[in-house]
Amino acid sequence: MAKFKGAIVVDTEKCKGCGLCVVSCPTAVIELARGVNGKGYHYAHMANPDACIGCSSCGLVCPDTVITVYRAKAS
Amino acid sequence: MTATTEINNIISKENLVYKKTDVLLDNEMHYCPGCTHGVIHKVIAEVIEEMDIQDKTIGVSPVGCSVLAYNYLDIDWQQAAHGRAPALATATSRLMPDKYVFTYQGDGDLASIGCAEIMHACNRGENIVVVFVNNAIYGMTGGQMAPTTLEGQVTATSPYGRDCATTGFPMKMSEMVSLLPGTRFVTRQSAETAGAVRKLKKAIRKGFENTREKKGLSFIEIVGTCSSGWKLSPTQSNEWMKENMFPYYPLGTLKDE
Ligand SMILES: Cc1ncc(C[n+]2csc(CCOP(=O)(O)OP(=O)(O)O)c2C)c(N)n1
Ligand code: SF4
Ligand code: SF4
Ligand code: SF4
Ligand SMILES: [Mg+2]
């Protein structure tokens, strides 16, 4: 089991649905939503939250810096 | 414990590991989805925060998609005529030698209309950082050929692919400026993966540290994408970049003195 459990918060209204976070995630946590935000973009969200290890890859590559990452020791 | 409560427990202040730096303003960026300019802005902002130089940094923005960079980084800015950012940065750093002065320039701006200014600023070894964003195209004006456009690359002004027999060859600016004695640090980076972003951050930090030590000019090229100009999706653009740009514009440090 992973040593860390992570979670991300996406500012969905500011997300542009570029998908760069999706391909950067080593554990396939993120998907683009079927729905759209106010700008018409399919925003990113945690589709598989249990797999998040809080590595921050998604936050680092996001051009609009709309992802906040949290990480806690796995209990 | 349900999955939702577990996530809610993780999302708390003491577990925070990555957030937008306050040096980046809250203004939404006008860049297209996936544009490398956004990542580079963020990295510069993070370095400024970490070095605690927000009130001592002056950026010079170019003409090109990043003309409005002053809307995104909460520092002092000037905006130069097309290609002339190195000239403005020269004056600024000479008049205010204790400031951290950097130019932010695209490949059209730096390698085409501003080719003379960058060469001479590098040759004089001005005490500035140059952030050079090479996306192999004129992004802002609709995807025309730039001096950096690859051989055979299709753009609005090379619809059959760039023909080097008539338009010359893609210019390797980092290699060229590394030959000038005025440059101290010349490196080519990218920003498509978390690892690349971390490396880029180290390079930009080194550039600003060189400014602090009055070492002269640091030239940091970033090979990036322009999905609108290239007419690919952001993720396809990264793949195209890796396949086509990296072999011609190899990543790595060319000079570090
Ligand atoms: C004197 C002058 N000539 C031409 C232009 C038109 N123009 C605006 S941006 C640009 C090129 C931008 O390309 P680049 O520097 O690569 O920036 P990018 O948008 O790709 O980041 C050109 C030719 C102008 N604004 N001013
Ligand atoms: S990288 Fe950022 S802007 Fe792009 S889809 Fe992910 S959260 Fe949205
Ligand atoms: S923090 Fe790491 S594991 Fe979690 S969603 Fe982002 S990239 Fe995936
Ligand atoms: S046109 Fe190209 S360089 Fe300009 S914002 Fe769009 S993707 Fe970025
Ligand atoms: Mg360009």
Side-chain angles (χ1 to χ4, degrees):
Chain A
M1 220 188 87
K3 280 195 188 134
F4 291 101
K5 287 285 292 170
I8 63 167
V9 176
V10 181
D11 187 343
T12 50
E13 274 311 306
K14 285 190 175 168
C15 169
K16 292 180 187 157
C18 69
L20 295 184
C21 56
V22 176
V23 294
S24 81
C25 177
T27 55
V29 171
I30 312 172
E31 283 177 15
L32 298 183
R34 288 187 59 149
V36 293
N37 63 16
K39 290 192 291 226
Y41 292 123
H42 296 283
Y43 53 88
H45 75 119
M46 278 204 289
N48 183 16
D50 282 345
C52 180
I53 52 172
C55 69
S56 299
S57 285
C58 53
L60 284 164
V61 301
C62 173
D64 292 88
T65 319
V66 297
I67 302 179
T68 308
V69 185
Y70 299 86
R71 186 171 64 166
K73 279 218 167 76
S75 47
Chain B
M1 198 158 51
T2 68
T4 331
T5 24
E6 196 182 352
I7 289 170
N8 287 339
N9 287 341
I10 298 171
I11 299 174
S12 67
K13 226 169 144 189
E14 66 273 16
N15 294 332
L16 179 70
V17 286
Y18 189 83
K19 75 168 184 46
K20 182 178 88 60
T21 157
D22 290 337
V23 177
L24 274 185
L25 293 159
D26 283 329
N27 299 332
E28 278 179 48
M29 291 186 180
H30 70 286
Y31 299 117
C32 308
C35 178
T36 314
H37 280 305
V39 187
I40 301 168
H41 285 18
K42 171 236 299 274
V43 173
I44 297 172
E46 287 178 357
V47 171
I48 290 171
E49 180 182 47
E50 284 172 17
M51 289 179 70
D52 195 18
I53 54 171
Q54 189 174 6
D55 55 351
K56 300 189 197 76
T57 307
I58 302 173
V60 186
S61 73
V63 170
C65 280
S66 51
V67 63
L68 301 174
Y70 49 76
N71 279 338
Y72 309 128
L73 270 81
D74 190 9
I75 53 171
D76 285 332
W77 282 97
Q78 302 181 88
Q79 197 279 311
H82 208 0
R84 274 53 173 180
L88 210 48
T90 296
T92 310
S93 93
R94 288 188 182 198
L95 289 167
M96 289 180 267
D98 293 326
K99 300 285 187 191
Y100 295 79
V101 180
F102 74 95
T103 71
Y104 187 104
Q105 303 177 258
D107 47 332
D109 188 84
L110 181 141
S112 190
I113 194 167
C115 200
E117 277 71 18
I118 191 61
M119 283 298 156
H120 289 287
C122 286
N123 194 43
R124 294 189 305 267
E126 299 296 336
N127 193 36
I128 60 173
V129 176
V130 173
V131 177
F132 168 44
V133 185
N134 179 5
N135 55 14
I137 208 156
Y138 291 181
M140 185 195 207
T141 41
Q144 293 82 6
M145 188 180 76
T148 44
T149 296
L150 296 175
E151 182 165 18
Q153 186 181 337
V154 172
T155 70
T157 47
S158 57
Y160 306 109
R162 181 176 185 169
D163 172 15
C164 292
T166 51
T167 64
F169 292 85
M171 284 166 83
K172 299 191 179 197
M173 297 309 294
S174 287
E175 281 79 353
M176 288 162 70
V177 301
S178 70
L179 297 175
L180 299 171
T183 52
R184 293 295 292 266
F185 177 48
V186 181
T187 188
R188 187 182 282 121
Q189 302 287 330
S190 65
E192 81 289 6
T193 62
V197 173
R198 289 197 179 95
K199 272 195 199 157
L200 171 61
K201 195 166 161 182
K202 275 197 192 130
I204 290 179
R205 181 162 181 136
K206 190 177 179 74
F208 282 122
E209 285 170 355
N210 284 349
T211 303
R212 185 172 58 204
E213 291 159 29
K214 310 261 190 283
K215 278 189 158 181
L217 196 140
S218 300
F219 189 95
I220 300 161
E221 172 174 351
I222 299 104
V223 179
T225 66
C226 171
S227 51
S228 295
W230 296 0
K231 311 217 182 303
L232 296 169
S233 74
T235 46
Q236 286 168 338
S237 294
N238 274 344
E239 294 308 313
W240 192 90
M241 172 179 74
K242 285 189 259 181
E243 223 168 278
N244 299 282
M245 300 269 285
F246 288 179
Y248 193 84
Y249 297 116
L251 304 184
T253 294
L254 290 106
K255 186 175 186 180
D256 184 6
E257 290 177 349

